[in-house]
Amino acid sequence: MERTRLMVHTTPNRCPEDDAHTQKDDARSLRAARDDLAQFAPVYERYVDRIYAYCRTRVGNSDAEDVTSQVFTQALSGVDGYRGGSVAAWLFRIAHNCVVDHLRGQRSTVPLDDLEWSLLDTGRDVLDQIALAEDVRRVRRLIAELPDEQANLLALKLAGGLNAKEIAAAVGKTHVAVRVELHRIIQRLRVAYRAEIGEVDT
Amino acid sequence: MNPHDNTTNRLLRRYLDALAADPHAEPPAGLDESDVALARALTQAHHSLPLDHAQRTRIWTRINTAPQPRTISTLAPPTISPSRNGHADHVDYHMDYKETETMTITTRSWPRQRQDSRSTAQRGLGTLLLVTAAMILIVAGVLVLRGTGDNEPTDPAGLPGDGAFGANQQETPTLDITAMAFVQQTLEPPAQTATRMMADAVQTAYAEAVGTQVALTLEGVVGTYGAVVGGPTATPTPTATPMMAVITATAAFGGDITLMVPLTVVNFSLDQLVWSPDGRMIAGMVGAEVWLFNADNPDNDPIVLTDQTAVTALAFSLDGRYVVAGHEDGSLVWWNTAQWLIVRAEGLNAPITGLAFSPDGRTLLVETGGEVQFWAAP
């Protein structure tokens, strides 16, 4: 099977308009929201998909909307506490705490078999889609076996679209520590994935 | 392919970044079929479809109907904490970007400013030496600038401290700046209150000196802060490779902005550098090596201490007798500064991500694998 030609039909987690100008706009909107809460709307519009993707990865489909709304509610009520810097990092720090609160006292309820077939590129060969779906299930199993902290870092990076500095700001670590940890996570997943598909390490 | 291969791991991480930006990104050469499949499955496993209008509206309605205001503990005021190894990235930051699209900037020579900062730093601010130095420099820069009575400096020769940088204004070098130490922004009416800016919010800073024009672009997690274009200025000479330079920018609306920017030294960034307690040396991490620069003359050949695996944390003992290096593989290595020999080595189970000596110098805090261990200093 020509796996290298497998394509998924997705929108990037990191918005292409994530440029400096927009970041400045976000910071400006947050400050304006201190006096006029309606000014928060552009920030919500820009980040809700990424926050939702992160929450969905961490808490599952059924609770993702609820936790997402908690994130923005807290962000809105705490907008006075925004001290500048990356708006994304600030929001994901709140999201991280909301997710931790949500998961506290319960195991993650993310089902492993709820792959949304609609995510897959319908323009691709059916066999390719099946192969990708199987890979995704396999990877989800592997992620479920990761320590929660590692799964969280992975979700912040891949679902939230954050870079190491933003992740560091969100979880209260140094970016060096985050980079080292991401390195270890990828290495661990590579080893586990190869073992899953029966590939012998060389 | 060996899954423990760091190079391939890096390629895979790069490919994951590429997929995040473009789901149809082609894999880089060097990744085999399994790695490509893993990267795509990982990306897909974390992906969600964009919310539809009904979902967005539903969530927005919940937000608007939630009781307000609420206090959240996660947004405590930023603090400066002399934790771990005193790296700049341990300093939480304030940043209040003002609408300063266009600023005139000029440069000041590093050596004169550095002497000022070192004399202050040596008065005992411990592991925050570097950050303190940055702050002192910034204040000094602002004061000197104001002392000239010129908020929009146009003649570099008239500015104190131009020294080395102002020697040849006809040169058109390019300076790569890899990290930003500190940014101080002092705004005057009609701008709002003075604000402090970030310590580590900026990942990279890039400055170009072209003719008599200097453009400064700061890029990082909060994006580009704005192009700073102005001149004529003293032109930094790339061969001088000072550890730091102060770039003073004047906002278009009259406020002063002082930017403190470390220039490239073998691609170090600030979070990789630590001062020795006596201020005579600067240690930096480069892969599996520790580089030690003479602080008075960092252009001289550094002392290079080589080990097996990547150095991830550094600290000087308070008496200056040891440099302690934490490594990616969990090894904790003590080098003595007299002969530069390893005098002690420990093996920990996880990468070491932070090191800090206690104020009395007797205990070393080692952050590893999400926990902090206490080690007795020799």
Side-chain angles (χ1 to χ4, degrees), chain A:
Chain A
M1 189 173 297
E2 181 85 16
R3 274 196 177 142
T4 56
R5 296 191 61 77
L6 260 182
M7 291 294 177
V8 290
H9 180 65
T10 65
T11 52
N13 284 342
R14 185 96 187 179
C15 304
E17 64 272 22
D18 248 352
D19 53 22
H21 180 71
T22 314
Q23 290 271 6
K24 283 196 294 184
D25 285 348
D26 290 342
R28 210 171 289 145
S29 295
L30 278 185
R31 281 186 211 97
R34 293 170 185 169
D35 301 320
D36 177 8
L37 293 182
Q39 299 300 316
F40 190 74
V43 176
Y44 170 78
E45 281 296 327
R46 247 177 61 71
Y47 287 98
V48 67
D49 284 334
R50 286 167 61 186
I51 294 288
Y52 176 80
Y54 167 71
C55 293
R56 179 178 170 276
T57 303
R58 297 290 290 135
V59 304
N61 273 334
S62 56
D63 294 330
E65 266 190 39
D66 188 39
V67 176
T68 302
S69 65
Q70 287 175 29
V71 172
F72 284 101
T73 300
Q74 293 202 3
L76 188 58
S77 60
V79 74
D80 284 342
Y82 173 69
R83 291 284 185 265
S86 165
V87 172
W90 179 73
L91 276 175
F92 274 92
R93 182 167 190 169
I94 298 170
H96 166 65
N97 288 323
C98 285
V99 165
V100 169
D101 286 344
H102 182 86
L103 293 178
R104 189 168 289 141
Q106 62 171 299
R107 296 296 303 160
S108 170
T109 57
V110 182
L112 299 178
D113 57 352
D114 67 343
L115 177 66
E116 293 178 17
W117 285 85
S118 59
L119 295 182
L120 304 181
D121 188 346
T122 53
R124 293 287 161 183
D125 182 84
V126 172
L127 287 178
D128 284 352
Q129 293 186 38
I130 292 172
L132 177 59
E134 182 52 38
D135 273 342
V136 171
R137 287 198 185 91
R138 192 175 281 138
V139 161
R140 285 188 171 188
R141 280 197 299 273
L142 299 179
I143 292 170
E145 291 168 4
L146 290 175
D148 191 64
E149 189 182 351
Q150 292 191 341
N152 186 53
L153 291 186
L154 205 58
L156 286 169
K157 178 172 177 57
L158 298 179
L162 300 185
N163 60 33
K165 283 242 174 182
E166 291 167 328
I167 294 172
V171 301
K173 284 176 168 280
T174 69
H175 73 274
V176 174
V178 169
R179 286 202 187 103
V180 169
E181 199 60 22
L182 286 172
H183 176 86
R184 295 177 66 216
I185 294 167
I186 296 298
Q187 183 167 298
R188 176 174 174 164
L189 287 174
R190 288 182 71 209
V191 172
Y193 179 78
R194 283 162 193 272
E196 279 263 328
I197 63 176
E199 198 167 295
V200 179
D201 297 348
T202 57

Side-chain angles (χ1 to χ4, degrees), chain B residues 77-124:
Chain B
T79 56
I80 294 180
S81 167
S83 63
R84 294 189 281 250
N85 46 12
H87 290 164
D89 64 348
H90 294 298
V91 182
D92 285 341
Y93 51 83
H94 290 270
M95 194 284 286
D96 196 358
Y97 181 80
K98 300 301 177 188
E99 297 174 25
T100 54
E101 300 295 339
T102 304
M103 292 173 273
T104 307
I105 80 171
T106 184
T107 57
R108 295 181 185 285
S109 66
W110 157 246
R112 196 183 79 86
Q113 300 286 344
R114 184 179 55 176
Q115 289 304 318
D116 292 344
S117 69
R118 283 190 54 215
S119 64
T120 301
Q122 287 168 357
R123 284 198 286 268

